[in-house]
Amino acid sequence: MYFGSVRFYKHVILITMALIVISSVTSCAFMAISNYHMKKLLRENGLAASAHTPSINSDDTAATDIRKQYNSASFDYQKLYPLLNIDNDFIYDEDLPKSVYLTFDDGPSSLTSQILDILKEHNVQATFFINYSDSMESQALYRRMLEEGHTIGVHSTCHQYATIYQSTAAFLDDFAQTAFMLEQVTGVKPEILRFPGGSINSYSKAVYQQTIGEMLRRGYTYYDWNVSADDA
Ligand SMILES: [Zn+2]
């Protein structure tokens, strides 16, 4: 009698073990393949994005590809802050002569109005990447910057690397507060940003690819720098 015999139970145990091994190997292989595809997507996007710093523009094919890929993927943070979206019509003209762009981070500070006086005296326009401040003095400075032809971009609300680079959603939370405040005060929607510590830094290693991709997807342009006054 085979059924119920020791041989029968041995076979049952062997078949069960074989099934467990086969299903684990299959799911491992499946996870490895999807992980590979995800990494490939992020790597391509991240490297393409960083290679285009600091002059990313809407007509640029690589940047457009990144936006398309991130549009087709679905991440929860894409649903956050639907108003954080720019109709980007900035066109980068490679034939323009080389220019120096003066940028000031982390303000407004006690020096900002002095800086504005000096720029005005020399008839020079600059870009200010703002850290959140909604005091009356700061509000007056934002309006003055725009009146005098300067550009305002978003820098950060808390400027704490460990907080803002926890995840792309955390970055958006921080970015949104300053972006909305500036729009409310000046009536102008900021369209550019500078990542605190630069677009790729030791705190943002795990999230910079998708964070850069997300900001590009939303139409923002980000700028790093290639010369520093070492006054940070
Ligand atoms: Zn900064």
Side-chain angles (χ1 to χ4, degrees), residues 183-203:
E183 186 180 354
Q184 203 173 11
V185 171
T186 64
V188 178
K189 205 169 175 167
E191 299 189 352
I192 63 172
L193 75 137
R194 173 166 286 161
F195 289 101
S199 57
I200 302 171
N201 60 67
S202 53
Y203 287 84

Side-chain angles (χ1 to χ4, degrees), residues 105-107 129 131 155-156 159 161 194-198 225 232:
D105 294 1
D106 296 357
F129 290 103
N131 277 359
H155 194 39
S156 186
H159 208 287
Y161 299 154
R194 173 166 286 161
F195 289 101
W225 57 89

Side-chain angles (χ1 to χ4, degrees), residues 44-65:
E44 283 167 3
N45 294 341
L47 290 178
S50 57
H52 279 267
T53 308
S55 302
I56 288 167
N57 60 84
S58 61
D59 266 20
D60 186 279
T61 9
T64 311
D65 285 349

Side-chain angles (χ1 to χ4, degrees), residues 12-22:
V12 169
I13 290 167
L14 279 173
I15 289 167
T16 314
M17 282 172 74
L19 284 174
I20 290 170
V21 170
I22 290 167

Side-chain angles (χ1 to χ4, degrees), residues 32-109:
I33 290 166
S34 48
N35 195 18
Y36 169 79
H37 281 297
M38 179 59 113
K39 275 191 178 154
K40 196 173 158 226
L41 176 75
L42 291 177
R43 196 171 54 237
E44 283 167 3
N45 294 341
L47 290 178
S50 57
H52 279 267
T53 308
S55 302
I56 288 167
N57 60 84
S58 61
D59 266 20
D60 186 279
T61 9
T64 311
D65 285 349
I66 294 167
R67 275 186 212 113
K68 268 190 207 149
Q69 286 184 47
Y70 272 91
N71 265 326
S72 60
S74 163
F75 299 98
D76 281 347
Y77 54 74
Q78 293 183 345
K79 299 183 193 105
L80 296 170
Y81 308 106
L83 291 177
L84 289 183
N85 253 300
I86 300 298
D87 247 348
N88 194 334
D89 57 358
F90 173 68
I91 294 169
Y92 177 66
D93 184 353
E94 284 190 356
D95 297 330
L96 284 173
K98 286 194 173 185
S99 306
V100 171
Y101 288 85
L102 290 181
T103 62
F104 296 89
D105 294 1
D106 296 357
S109 74

